[in-house]
Amino acid sequence: MIRDITVGQYYPAESVLHGLDPRTKLFGVLVFIISVFVFRTFPGYLVATIFLVGMIALCKVPPSFIFRGLKPILFILALTMVFNVLLTPGEILWQWKFLRITREGLVLAAKMAIRLVYLVIGSSILTLTTTPNQLTSGMERAFRPLNRLHVPVHEVAMMMSIALRFIPILLEETDKIMKAQIARGADFETGNIIQKAKNMVPLLVPLFISAFRRANDLAMAMEARCYHGGDERTQMKPLVYSAKDRIAYLILLAYLAAAILFRITGW
Amino acid sequence: MGIIKALKLCFEYQRYDDEGNIQDTQKAVDQVDLDIAPGQFIAILGHNGSGKSTLAKHMNALLLPTEGTIIIDGMDTKEEPELWKIRQKAGMVFQNPDNQIIGTVVEEDVGFGPENIGLPTEKIWKRVDESLQKTGMTAYRSHSPNKLSGGQKQRVAIAGVMAMRPSCIILDEPTAMLDPNGRVEVLKAVHDLNRLEGVTVILITHYMEEVTDADRVFVMDSGHIVMEGTPREIFSQVEKLKEYRLDVPQVTELAHELRLSGVDIPEGILTMEELAGALCQ
């Protein structure tokens, strides 16, 4: 169950989305996130849904793979929905003692759920179609102007891509340590929340130690391969916009304009 | 002039107490002299803590000597202001395959080194193609390293080093975490590079079987080089090796025992065929 998080897992395939420039895709995710918050009505969400379904169809990643990324947020999702349904004042549809369900509550809960799910799916599509290295170079290029303000853009980008690369490895390791500790009598299942949190200690301590050890090894390996920061570094896959990217930008801008139009006209 | 030359090389690890004062120092490498000719296949043996990994880290300037000098391809690691020039000449492969792969796609990882030394894009691609081919990993170029076997990951790591066109590669127990198949696969790749590309190989290991094909073998114990010679010379001294807590290959051990019990065969037998030949005479 612990390996189900898809954020940070690249899915190799040959698709239009895989071939786009990472900067285009970053911009795309940004536009999509903005649009999810700009849309306020169900017709608006329909537009967002069409856009998202189109992206899923284009990216050639099996949908089951994309939706697997939703599992970890199911709890948060359920919690937000319950609170929204029960605590929003308005026209009462059903009441039992202090619990009541209102029409407004249902609508709000549905909207929140749509937003959360779309946010996760949208960013999952980015990470599924973009290798962390591409993502890094995309962000590095996009934020390069900040270099003048002495923001270590390259270093941050490098750290991010390494973190992404090690997520699956550390997850696997967590699984392994968990099993090893269960074999030694550790209990991760029973007890209340505080008890459970306490029981995590024998899992977290070895995990942290191993993560530090890995970090140390990796730093050494990077140095051994001549890594000395971002200066004078060239790129194997430098970013060049192609015709596809221009079309993508146009589509994205049109989509954003539609979102704003929907908001202004109050549709 | 050898490609790697060490003169009275010493390295001390220092342990600090809570206040940051030096508590004690431990000599990990002590007065080591080395001279390695280009194109050779060198093996360094030693049990855990004998200083072999510390010595290896001196060979591409990851550690700088406390005393003495080490010269790699004419560059003194203590004098050179741009250490990556040395690291480009002497590439290093580590024990844990997971902890040395930086890219999430095989070819991006192989390209990491050439990117760091600032090559233009077309040249990087050429080198990546070349080194993937040399290590037989071309078919896996767009795979994720997480989905490869241990032996394949280690070959990717070797390809990553080869992409910098080093004149020598240092492998620090590259097979310690692999299964027997992976071990054979990695050793074959390393031997091919040595034979076909003329790359100097320094293989650090504690598997005796991996050493029998080497040109020269060094044995280390508590920071010193205690034995030096061809595999045959080294393995003919079974008793001495055992003193340094090292095992000899099974066949050699068997031949040694046979000799002790009076069978007339020569010392330093390395392969099964040899033993069979000697016994049949």
Side-chain angles (χ1 to χ4, degrees):
Chain A
M1 75 108 191
I2 207 149
R3 262 173 248 178
D4 290 340
I5 302 171
T6 47
V7 174
Q9 289 247 52
Y10 176 63
Y11 185 92
E14 302 265 327
S15 79
V16 187
L17 283 192
H18 282 77
L20 283 181
D21 188 289
R23 285 170 291 178
T24 317
K25 284 187 267 188
L26 277 170
F27 180 70
V29 170
L30 186 71
V31 164
F32 185 68
I33 290 174
I34 293 173
S35 80
V36 166
F37 286 100
V38 168
F39 284 132
R40 279 188 153 175
T41 56
F42 286 106
Y45 289 134
L46 188 67
V47 177
T49 311
I50 293 169
F51 183 78
L52 197 61
V53 169
M55 289 304 127
I56 292 175
L58 277 179
C59 74
K60 287 192 185 163
V61 178
S64 62
F65 216 85
I66 301 175
F67 294 124
R68 224 179 280 169
L70 285 175
K71 262 191 202 163
I73 67 149
L74 280 180
F75 176 69
I76 303 173
L77 194 65
L79 201 69
T80 2
M81 283 185 73
V82 167
F83 276 112
N84 273 312
V85 168
L86 295 180
L87 298 177
T88 317
E91 183 192 331
I92 294 166
L93 294 179
W94 177 86
Q95 189 160 24
W96 180 75
K97 289 183 184 164
F98 65 94
L99 292 178
R100 55 163 191 259
I101 295 176
T102 61
R103 179 186 298 279
E104 284 77 2
L106 283 177
V107 171
L108 197 62
K111 285 181 179 171
M112 286 308 265
I114 289 175
R115 279 186 187 165
L116 263 173
V117 169
Y118 281 19
L119 285 182
V120 172
I121 292 181
S123 35
S124 284
I125 291 178
L126 172 71
T127 49
L128 282 166
T129 60
T130 322
T131 71
N133 261 22
Q134 275 179 314
L135 209 60
T136 318
S137 43
M139 292 200 198
E140 210 180 332
R141 276 299 290 274
F143 294 120
R144 194 179 276 174
L146 291 179
N147 240 337
R148 292 223 190 98
L149 302 171
H150 298 288
V151 180
V153 177
H154 168 78
E155 282 74 7
V156 173
M158 184 55 95
M159 280 191 264
M160 282 180 49
S161 82
I162 289 172
L164 285 170
R165 144 127 174 87
F166 274 85
I167 287 173
I169 294 180
L170 289 178
L171 283 178
E172 217 166 279
E173 187 130 311
T174 316
D175 237 14
K176 229 189 271 171
I177 298 172
M178 225 172 189
K179 282 184 188 133
Q181 299 290 39
I182 289 172
R184 286 166 180 74
D187 182 8
F188 298 113
E189 307 292 331
T190 53
N192 55 22
I193 287 187
I194 297 172
Q195 205 74 49
K196 269 189 184 167
K198 269 189 189 159
N199 290 346
M200 286 303 232
V201 172
L203 174 66
L204 292 179
V205 171
L207 187 65
F208 268 85
I209 291 175
S210 120
F212 280 120
R213 199 166 288 152
R214 279 182 196 282
N216 198 15
D217 280 5
L218 186 75
M220 183 109 68
M222 285 172 74
E223 260 187 64
R225 285 166 73 184
C226 300
Y227 182 71
H228 52 279
D231 311 331
E232 299 170 51
R233 201 164 182 270
T234 49
Q235 274 170 330
M236 179 182 177
K237 298 177 175 168
L239 301 177
V240 205
Y241 281 128
S242 65
K244 267 188 296 185
D245 292 295
R246 273 173 223 122
I247 297 168
Y249 268 108
L250 285 179
I251 295 172
L252 286 170
L253 288 174
Y255 174 69
L256 187 63
I260 294 170
L261 203 71
F262 266 66
R263 178 67 173 264
I264 293 171
T265 56
W267 252 22
Chain B
M1 174 78 190
I3 184 152
I4 293 180
K5 203 173 156 75
L7 279 172
K8 297 203 184 324
L9 186 75
C10 291
F11 185 80
E12 289 171 349
Y13 278 112
Q14 291 170 336
R15 266 227 298 269
Y16 295 92
D17 59 14
D18 294 338
E19 277 93 49
N21 305 312
I22 295 170
Q23 207 174 30
D24 64 336
T25 56
Q26 199 189 355
K27 274 204 167 155
V29 173
D30 196 3
Q31 301 280 336
V32 165
D33 290 306
L34 264 182
D35 195 353
I36 294 170
Q40 280 198 311
F41 193 108
I42 304 286
I44 300 181
L45 286 175
H47 64 86
N48 292 339
S50 59
K52 55 194 196 308
S53 284
T54 313
L55 178 64
K57 281 173 194 153
H58 279 87
M59 292 180 185
N60 72 349
L62 285 172
L63 293 175
L64 297 179
T66 322
E67 273 169 61
T69 42
I70 180 156
I71 294 167
I72 287 96
D73 208 12
M75 291 178 278
D76 186 336
T77 60
K78 259 186 169 172
E79 313 279 322
E80 182 63 44
E82 295 180 329
L83 289 175
W84 55 90
K85 287 186 180 152
I86 296 173
R87 292 182 185 146
Q88 192 184 331
K89 288 283 166 206
M92 184 136 175
V93 176
F94 297 86
Q95 191 185 83
N96 188 334
D98 278 323
N99 294 357
Q100 55 184 320
I101 293 178
I102 294 113
T104 23
V105 175
V106 167
E107 59 179 15
E108 284 181 12
D109 184 71
V110 176
F112 181 75
E115 285 181 332
N116 286 333
I117 51 182
L119 289 177
T121 303
E122 318 83 68
K123 273 199 181 156
I124 298 179
W125 278 96
K126 220 179 118 213
R127 288 204 183 181
V128 169
D129 292 345
E130 228 175 64
S131 33
L132 282 172
Q133 200 212 326
K134 279 178 198 163
T135 47
M137 291 301 290
T138 312
Y140 301 93
R141 61 180 310 156
S142 53
H143 284 228
S144 151
N146 291 336
K147 300 210 168 86
L148 301 180
S149 73
Q152 290 169 333
K153 282 186 218 173
Q154 233 21 340
R155 268 153 71 199
V156 172
I158 294 171
V161 167
M162 285 305 294
M164 289 185 288
R165 295 220 179 119
S167 30
C168 101
I169 346 184
I170 302 129
L171 301 110
D172 190 357
E173 302 197 32
T175 58
M177 300 181 80
L178 304 183
D179 57 14
N181 286 337
R183 208 176 292 159
V184 171
E185 183 185 323
V186 168
L187 282 178
K188 188 184 168 297
V190 173
H191 274 289
D192 284 350
L193 287 179
N194 177 251
R195 209 170 313 122
L196 304 174
E197 309 292 326
V199 181
T200 315
V201 171
I202 293 144
L203 176 69
I204 293 167
T205 181
H206 53 234
Y207 289 109
M208 300 302 135
E209 285 77 9
E210 295 177 358
V211 169
T212 48
D213 297 331
D215 293 321
R216 259 163 97 207
V217 179
F218 294 92
V219 178
M220 285 192 76
D221 186 63
S222 50
H224 301 274
I225 288 185
V226 284
M227 290 167 85
E228 185 187 337
T230 62
R232 201 172 297 279
E233 284 163 15
I234 299 287
F235 289 130
S236 56
Q237 307 172 53
V238 177
E239 301 300 327
K240 204 171 165 195
L241 279 171
K242 291 205 164 160
E243 254 172 61
Y244 296 122
R245 284 179 280 163
L246 289 170
D247 278 329
V248 291
Q250 252 177 6
V251 190
T252 315
E253 170 112 48
L254 177 62
H256 178 71
E257 292 296 329
L258 285 173
R259 217 175 107 91
L260 284 186
S261 36
V263 183
D264 180 28
I265 46 174
E267 276 281 12
I269 280 177
L270 298 176
T271 63
M272 257 189 272
E273 288 75 26
E274 249 177 87
L275 180 60
L279 284 174
C280 289
Q281 270 176 8

